[in-house]
Amino acid sequence: MSFVRKESQSGDSSSDGEEDFVPYSERSEWSDIKPVPQIEAENAIVTIAYSSRFRDVFDYFRAILAKDERSDRAFDLTTDCIALNPSNFTVWYFRRILLQSLKKDLREELRFLENVILDNHKNYQVWQHRKALIQMLNEASDEKRFTEDILKIDSKNYHCWQHRQWFVQQFNLWDGELQFLEQLINDDIRNNSAWNHRFFVINNTCSLSDMQVVEQEVNFTISKIKLTPHNESAWNYLRGILRECGLNKLKQVMEMCNELYSEPNRVRSSHLVAFMIDCIEETLDKQCPRDNSLIEQAVSMANEMATIDTIRTNYWNHVARSVHHTYTCKQ
């Protein structure tokens, strides 16, 4: 950090506070720069109450940006700007220009950025800056460790998962991903981000037309669905894995569905019933003539869904009518 601190009368320097900050306007090494104030809208109904430090720092930032000054003091100024507003796109963009122009140590910048991200891990700009640094370095040897540290803080952090998907694919770092994801799913079976990343890994490293892969993933998913039948993430994953071969391809899938559907003393999962309706429709699409008992079963389940999924009652009533009309009239 490049904040300059004033010594207090006692001789001690405080770690924080406006009173310890020496404004750029009072620093002799910045006397050659004329600050550029922010243009405020005339007659604004609500104005932002910037602190005096914020105004001072960003007035000088606008000045050096306007003259495209590429110097160590400009770089230090961006550090002060980031401390005050780590979401400012322009500051990060100009800092990247300075990093390259001044030939700064990019690994040192990564260390600086790690601390910034730890305090601002839901900030898009800090993750974009990290991606740019990794691109400049053209290697991502520490990224798995770093993203795992962030995911321990926030296991569903969108920016972190997006970054991990990018560098894993960009640098072919697929090894160990499934084992990592299995642990995350075991820790939190409802972690939709982990399920999504698992599908990303499988989809990029395997073929979903390979039945050995499909069966492996189906068996894994079935074991999780049996633990938490109301977990939408696992049902969506199951649909994704079966999308090429068909929902009815593996007998263990329907065996699981029938087992869960027949369980006494348990509230039926809406995801289970909806999945079974789709399975029946998939079967009916291939039949000629069609099995009337299957049509009746699908209509009955759609009517059941209208009572389970009450927010979408009208939709499920429509599904019941549609199934009856589509498959009864076209024998």
Side-chain angles (χ1 to χ4, degrees), residues 79-106:
T79 303
D80 285 355
C81 289
I82 288 164
L84 292 167
N85 183 7
S87 299
N88 190 303
F89 165 82
T90 307
V91 171
W92 287 111
Y93 174 74
F94 190 57
R95 187 177 177 91
R96 286 193 286 276
I97 291 175
L98 295 174
L99 281 167
Q100 293 178 304
S101 295
L102 302 174
K103 297 185 176 2
K104 292 287 186 180
D105 184 341
L106 298 182

Side-chain angles (χ1 to χ4, degrees), residues 176-237:
E177 283 298 279
L178 288 182
Q179 292 84 345
F180 167 65
L181 292 164
E182 185 167 351
Q183 183 58 55
L184 280 186
I185 290 170
N186 287 337
D187 292 341
D188 179 5
I189 205 167
R190 293 179 174 83
N191 187 339
N192 186 62
S193 300
W195 283 103
N196 178 67
H197 190 65
R198 187 179 181 95
F199 186 80
F200 174 79
V201 172
I202 290 293
N203 204 39
N204 279 278
T205 59
C206 307
S207 170
L208 290 178
S209 60
D210 183 340
M211 290 310 298
Q212 185 176 351
V213 172
V214 172
E215 190 150 6
Q216 165 196 300
E217 290 305 299
V218 164
N219 290 337
F220 172 81
T221 310
I222 285 175
S223 70
K224 304 308 176 187
I225 288 176
K226 285 183 175 180
L227 291 174
T228 53
H230 295 273
N231 176 21
E232 185 177 6
S233 300
W235 285 105
N236 287 340
Y237 186 79

Side-chain angles (χ1 to χ4, degrees), residues 2 11 17 28 36 44 67 78 91 94 103 111 123 139 146 149 165 169 176 179 222 224 236 240 261 276 319 321 325:
S2 64
S28 58
V36 178
K67 66 194 294 285
T78 65
V91 171
F94 190 57
K103 297 185 176 2
R111 290 190 289 272
N123 178 339
E139 67 97 11
F146 177 69
D149 286 347
Q165 288 194 352
Q169 186 173 45
Q179 292 84 345
I222 285 175
K224 304 308 176 187
N236 287 340
Y261 191 81
M276 292 182 75
V319 170
R321 291 191 301 268
H325 174 76

Side-chain angles (χ1 to χ4, degrees), residues 6 18 34 42 66 70 81 97 120-121 151 154 178 227 234 251-252 272 275 277 279 282 287 289 294 303:
K6 287 181 177 178
E18 292 283 331
K34 182 179 180 180
E42 292 185 11
R70 304 187 184 188
C81 289
I97 291 175
N120 303 274
H121 52 82
L151 291 173
D154 179 5
L178 288 182
L227 291 174
K251 64 178 182 179
Q252 60 262 50
L272 162 67
F275 184 86
I277 292 171
C279 286
E282 186 179 279
Q287 283 185 345
L294 281 182
N303 288 330

Side-chain angles (χ1 to χ4, degrees), residues 105-122:
D105 184 341
L106 298 182
R107 297 196 179 280
E108 183 178 336
E109 179 72 359
L110 275 176
R111 290 190 289 272
F112 160 76
L113 184 61
E114 181 163 341
N115 290 323
V116 177
I117 292 179
L118 284 170
D119 289 333
N120 303 274
H121 52 82
K122 292 189 177 181

